[in-house]
Amino acid sequence: MSRPDLLALTPDALVALANRGLLKRAVKELDAGAVPVLDVADDGTLHGRFADGAEAVLPADKGFDGARCSCGAMGICRHRVGLVLAYQRQDPAGELVLSSPGAITDEELTAAFGTRVLAAARRTHSAGYSARVRRPSAADPVAEVELPACTVRFLVPGELGYVHTEAAAAKREQTIVLAVWAFRAADEHAPDVPEIRLDVGGTETQTTSGLEPALGLVDKILLEGAADASPVLLASLRRLHGELEEAELRWPAAAVAELAEQLDFHRARSAHYRARRFAELLTELHARHRAAIGGSSPRSRILGTDEPSETPLRRVRLTSLGCRISGVPGERLAELYFADARTASVLVLRHSWTVGAGEKCTGHDLAGQRISGTSLRCLASANVVSESAHRSASRVLRLVSARVGRTTTTPVGASWASLPDALVVRDYAAFAAELAALPPRIIRPRVAAELVRIVHIAEVRRLAYHPGDQRLDAEITDATGTVATVSAHYSEYRPGALDALADALASRPRYLSGTVHRSAGALVIDPVAVLTPAGLTHPDLAPDVRDAPLRLAPEPPPDPVADALDLLASAAHTGLIRTAQRPTTSFTRIATALSEAGFPQAATTLTTLRDALQTPAPPHLPTTWLTAHLRLLLTSTHH
């Protein structure tokens, strides 16, 4: 009896099931003549006896997890890998027949995993979830589905026994079922598209979002303001956070936690407090509520209901995209960005240091500090292989300190060039259109480094420095001549960054990494690292060495949208009750500026709020503020 499942296993599939070291050792032993004696039973079970006395068995219809070996190794061993390779050499595969995992029936799923797993998967399907589907091809026969919490890879067409996912054992079978259903939905909607992102399920009709208790608390905060937030209010926020987490509403729970954190910062007079961020969080909770009951997008993407709080990654290979240094008095923060090529996603590893009063501590000073046994500078330029990593719902990476010995690093080298297309921006106009099609940020998944990308550079045309904003701008182009702007601001925590960035951009770089957003229809990149012919440059870790002065740029024109957002943030900070007792001339002036700049709807919402503030005992004052703030937030992302 033939074993087509074993013949379909590619070297990459064997690496996923075992690891590259075991594969190399098995190949080396076979090439040296240590070939096992093979026997295939009538039921398809493959037996192999090796020269060292070990016997390995690969039962039919049980996949690689059902393999056994007498060598006593924990998990996959070289004998089991060698048994597959020896069988492939003895009976070379014919033409591989590709098939979609969507062809797997629910009856087959039930037989493999049981009714309880299917029932749990149906609950997630009813709520809706997002997926990126990559179809198999002759060049890469592995079908792949990227789910919010993990990636599922079907290593052998039509075989549930050869599915690889980094999900923990408790969720593994459920994620496989969800991946099959995602392929089934893709087959129905776009059967000929090689790769597609789509929303799956979401058939429930909901009249509530689960955020109703949060909305009343938000309105109370808006009326009273951050300045008068009491300990009782903070306790209510923390209790609400626990309730939302228990209900698995990950994104609203995260917003409530950050809101409580902002109020803590204000009470402590910390520089971490940001009035504009405080206002955005208040609006976010209302926006997620409206979107969840509106039905325009799956609730899972708005509320994070399909996200586990943390996912252990069994074995992960990451490529560093650089390091960002920030801080406030008394604290410094390093954020290291890593690309996971297998899932085409970016993860963030964070580490903070306490700094004494008056102590100077810049990114350059921190470059030698060690994180998980490796210096910050080396980690920012490394390929990382780890079996001790955990990923949070918001894509924050955590390395388990007790197992850091299972984390290894090698230099990044030219790895950026081989990252998947989803992480590399080569066509600026196409990526700008992709950004324009995204839902508003305040209802998207709360994913750290969501828009961190590698940007390919065909040419650097211009460098200019804006002294008023302490900002360096550079024009770069793609292969078609489309222009994007690289824009970086000065920070006392990374004082050498602008000069290092200018030098790197002047040395004919091929790529840079950074956070990409859209402004006036064009791309703007906040840079993190630059790949030049001499290697990877990390501006935030550069010493403060100022050589030639940068060419000055003209001052930017006034921005009435930013002024309006600052005004509304100030009203939320002070509290709408107190704001109503003050003059409203600023509302009139900024509304006029908005109208003259071509934003009449934003101007109207600001005028409506001004009139409500001037009305004795105005009804629905928080709703009027929220309407104006939401309009201004949406305007700021598109003008």
Side-chain angles (χ1 to χ4, degrees):
M1 179 178 176
S2 178
R3 290 291 300 272
D5 57 328
L6 301 182
L7 299 177
L9 287 170
T10 66
D12 287 340
L14 287 171
V15 169
L17 292 170
N19 60 60
R20 195 168 299 279
L22 288 178
L23 177 65
K24 288 182 177 179
R25 184 172 179 182
V27 169
K28 184 177 180 180
E29 290 180 353
L30 290 176
D31 290 343
V35 179
V37 177
L38 303 181
D39 177 61
V40 182
D42 292 340
D43 64 355
T45 301
L46 176 64
H47 298 260
R49 180 184 293 275
F50 290 78
D52 61 3
E55 294 187 19
V57 180
L58 291 174
D61 302 324
K62 289 189 177 181
F64 216 61
D65 289 340
R68 305 187 304 273
C69 185
S70 64
C71 71
M74 296 293 293
I76 304 300
C77 64
R78 74 180 193 278
H79 299 107
R80 278 170 267 201
V81 176
L83 184 56
V84 174
L85 294 175
Y87 180 75
Q88 290 178 343
R89 292 186 181 190
Q90 175 181 293
D91 187 6
E95 183 178 354
L96 182 64
V97 178
L98 300 177
S99 64
S100 168
I104 299 172
T105 66
D106 283 359
E107 289 74 18
E108 292 175 291
L109 293 172
T110 302
F113 304 132
T115 56
R116 183 175 297 180
V117 170
L118 269 289
R122 285 193 182 98
R123 288 193 292 271
T124 301
H125 186 273
S126 295
Y129 59 98
S130 62
R132 185 192 295 272
V133 171
R134 298 184 183 91
R135 299 185 184 282
S137 65
D140 183 3
V142 175
E144 184 173 290
V145 179
E146 179 190 338
L147 297 172
C150 64
T151 298
V152 180
R153 305 177 72 215
F154 297 86
L155 303 177
V156 176
E159 293 282 349
L160 290 173
Y162 295 94
V163 181
H164 176 266
T165 174
E166 68 268 28
K171 291 286 187 179
R172 180 180 183 273
E173 294 176 344
Q174 183 179 334
T175 60
I176 294 173
V177 174
L178 294 175
V180 169
W181 290 345
F183 250 103
R184 196 178 297 170
D187 293 343
E188 292 175 1
H189 292 93
D192 299 323
V193 178
E195 181 175 327
I196 182 175
R197 177 175 286 281
L198 74 164
D199 297 327
V200 186
T203 58
E204 288 183 343
T205 300
Q206 297 283 349
T207 58
T208 62
S209 67
L211 302 185
E212 287 75 15
L215 305 185
L217 204 53
V218 164
D219 291 350
K220 182 178 177 63
I221 294 171
L222 264 174
L223 289 169
E224 297 181 1
D228 287 337
S230 66
V232 174
L233 183 59
L234 281 168
S236 298
L237 281 173
R238 293 191 176 94
R239 184 172 61 253
L240 176 63
H241 170 258
E243 292 170 354
L244 294 175
E245 273 290 345
E246 187 175 348
E248 297 185 346
L249 302 177
R250 304 295 184 201
W251 307 143
V256 168
E258 190 179 349
L259 184 59
E261 185 180 51
Q262 282 292 316
L263 290 175
D264 278 334
F265 288 151
H266 180 264
R267 286 174 60 82
R269 299 295 186 264
S270 168
H272 281 294
Y273 175 73
R274 297 285 186 272
R276 194 188 276 197
R277 182 59 184 157
F278 170 72
E280 288 178 2
L281 292 167
L282 297 173
T283 301
E284 178 182 340
L285 288 165
H286 268 275
R288 290 190 185 277
H289 166 73
R290 295 178 187 179
I293 63 177
S296 59
S297 184
R299 289 165 59 89
S300 62
R301 300 191 69 181
I302 299 164
L303 304 178
T305 53
D306 60 351
E307 292 280 356
S309 58
E310 190 171 73
T311 302
L313 305 177
R314 294 196 301 181
R315 184 176 178 85
V316 65
R317 298 174 179 84
L318 305 172
T319 299
S320 177
L321 304 184
C323 175
R324 165 67 75 233
I325 299 295
S326 59
V328 294
E331 185 181 349
R332 301 293 182 271
L333 174 67
E335 294 183 300
L336 294 119
Y337 303 107
F338 292 96
D340 184 347
R342 186 168 52 188
T343 62
S345 60
V346 178
L347 308 178
V348 182
L349 176 64
R350 292 174 173 152
H351 193 88
S352 61
W353 294 267
T354 300
V355 179
E359 181 181 350
K360 178 186 176 183
C361 186
T362 67
H364 181 63
D365 299 321
L366 295 172
Q369 295 291 321
R370 303 188 79 77
I371 301 174
S372 296
T374 305
S375 73
L376 175 60
R377 184 184 299 281
C378 291
L379 201 57
S381 305
N383 289 313
V384 176
V385 178
S386 179
E387 297 178 1
S388 62
H390 288 66
R391 181 182 70 182
S392 75
S394 57
R395 305 300 185 267
V396 174
L397 187 68
R398 180 171 66 90
L399 299 179
V400 182
S401 58
R403 300 172 64 195
V404 293
R406 300 181 69 177
T407 298
T408 59
T409 61
T410 55
V412 131
S415 300
W416 282 14
S418 60
L419 288 173
D421 291 341
L423 293 177
V424 183
V425 179
R426 292 185 171 86
D427 185 330
Y428 298 173
F431 192 70
E434 183 179 331
L435 294 183
L438 290 175
R441 178 173 57 85
I442 54 175
I443 63 169
R444 294 204 300 267
R446 279 181 138 252
V447 175
E450 176 193 18
L451 296 178
V452 170
R453 296 289 188 275
I454 300 292
V455 180
H456 182 261
I457 302 173
E459 181 185 2
V460 179
R461 289 185 176 174
R462 180 181 64 86
L463 284 169
Y465 179 66
H466 301 262
D469 288 342
Q470 293 186 297
R471 187 180 82 244
L472 175 68
D473 284 350
E475 274 189 5
I476 61 175
T477 68
D478 63 10
T480 66
T482 303
V483 174
T485 301
V486 178
S487 185
H489 285 81
Y490 173 83
S491 168
E492 61 181 302
Y493 306 118
R494 45 180 190 271
L498 296 190
D499 293 280
L501 176 62
D503 290 343
L505 291 174
S507 59
R508 303 178 66 85
R510 296 173 53 212
Y511 297 94
L512 65 82
S513 65
T515 303
V516 187
H517 69 277
R518 179 175 170 271
S519 179
L523 294 186
V524 179
I525 304 109
D526 179 9
V528 173
V530 185
L531 185 61
T532 71
L536 202 57
T537 296
H538 301 285
D540 285 23
L541 304 182
D544 185 13
V545 180
R546 304 185 185 186
D547 298 323
L550 298 169
R551 183 168 66 87
L552 300 183
E555 289 298 312
D559 186 352
V561 175
D563 293 342
L565 286 171
D566 287 337
L567 180 64
L568 293 175
S570 176
H573 168 78
T574 304
L576 298 181
I577 294 175
R578 289 192 177 184
T579 302
Q581 301 168 359
R582 299 179 178 181
T584 57
T585 53
S586 296
F587 286 85
T588 302
R589 174 177 55 80
I590 295 176
T592 300
L594 285 169
S595 183
E596 292 174 350
F599 305 112
Q601 291 180 316
T604 298
T605 60
L606 204 61
T607 302
T608 301
L609 177 59
R610 178 203 62 190
D611 295 343
L613 290 168
Q614 293 175 329
T615 302
H620 310 302
L621 188 54
T623 301
T624 307
W625 181 94
L626 287 161
T627 300
H629 193 247
L630 182 58
R631 169 61 63 181
L632 267 298
L633 283 177
L634 296 179
T635 301
S636 69
T637 61
H638 291 94
H639 85 285

